[in-house]
Amino acid sequence: MRRHGAGGGKFSATILSSSLEEQLVAGNPSLAEADARFRQAKAVVRQDRAAYAPTIGTSLSADRLHGSSGALNGIEAGTGQYSLTGDVSWEPDFWGRVRQTVAAGVASAQAVRGDLENARLSLTATLALDYFQPDRSMRTWCCSMRASMRTSAR
């Protein structure tokens, strides 16, 4: 599937870069795993950064109390009690614990992204080698077949 361009023996790699590479990247479980690890690392950084913000909590409760004095004209008397409480807390980062945690998370996410890009580059390079040197794949296959035939002949 090589396409030769007008430049005398130069070929166009548009097929490789568009179709085959997309299929390889989309269907590779190692890349999917590396991408999931990267998304997880980014989520951890977002969670760590949330420690910079104050914490806000609320609680709502409602109670209906029935009176024991009986009914008044067929309507039972009762009272309602409603309660709304809230709290806000914030801890200043005097000793840099939050800052250091965020920095460590960012560094970890960058390392994981590097692993992801390394895996993607490795797959793309292997695809390029196999695409531009089809005899390499055939030689590897032939060598493995010869080795298995020798083993089975013994």
Side-chain angles (χ1 to χ4, degrees):
M1 293 184 69
R2 292 184 190 178
R3 286 188 358 198
H4 293 280
K10 292 186 177 185
F11 48 85
S12 172
T14 57
I15 295 173
L16 174 66
S17 64
S18 63
S19 177
L20 295 176
E21 186 176 358
E22 288 172 8
Q23 290 175 14
L24 178 70
V25 168
N28 189 284
S30 297
L31 280 182
E33 181 184 348
D35 186 53
R37 282 194 311 268
F38 178 58
R39 284 179 292 161
Q40 181 182 17
K42 287 191 328 185
V44 168
V45 170
R46 283 192 302 271
Q47 180 180 353
D48 292 342
R49 283 189 176 142
Y52 284 125
T55 304
I56 301 171
T58 61
S59 175
L60 175 66
S61 66
D63 293 321
R64 176 142 175 107
L65 303 173
H66 296 284
S68 62
S69 62
L72 177 64
N73 294 334
I75 301 174
E76 195 170 305
T79 59
Q81 182 179 15
Y82 303 97
S83 171
L84 174 64
T85 59
D87 60 60
V88 177
S89 65
W90 179 70
E91 181 181 334
D93 191 24
F94 290 129
W95 292 274
R97 181 187 55 83
V98 174
R99 181 177 36 83
Q100 291 171 357
T101 302
V102 169
V106 167
S108 176
Q110 288 173 345
V112 171
R113 181 176 180 159
D115 291 344
L116 171 62
E117 293 304 320
N118 186 33
R120 182 176 291 140
L121 181 62
S122 177
L123 280 172
T124 305
T126 302
L127 174 65
L129 284 173
D130 289 344
Y131 183 78
F132 294 121
Q133 297 176 355
D135 59 324
R136 176 178 167 254
S137 300
M138 187 57 94
R139 279 194 307 260
T140 304
W141 181 78
C142 287
C143 288
S144 65
M145 288 302 292
R146 283 187 200 136
S148 67
M149 290 171 67
R150 286 182 194 146
T151 306
S152 63
R154 290 182 188 174

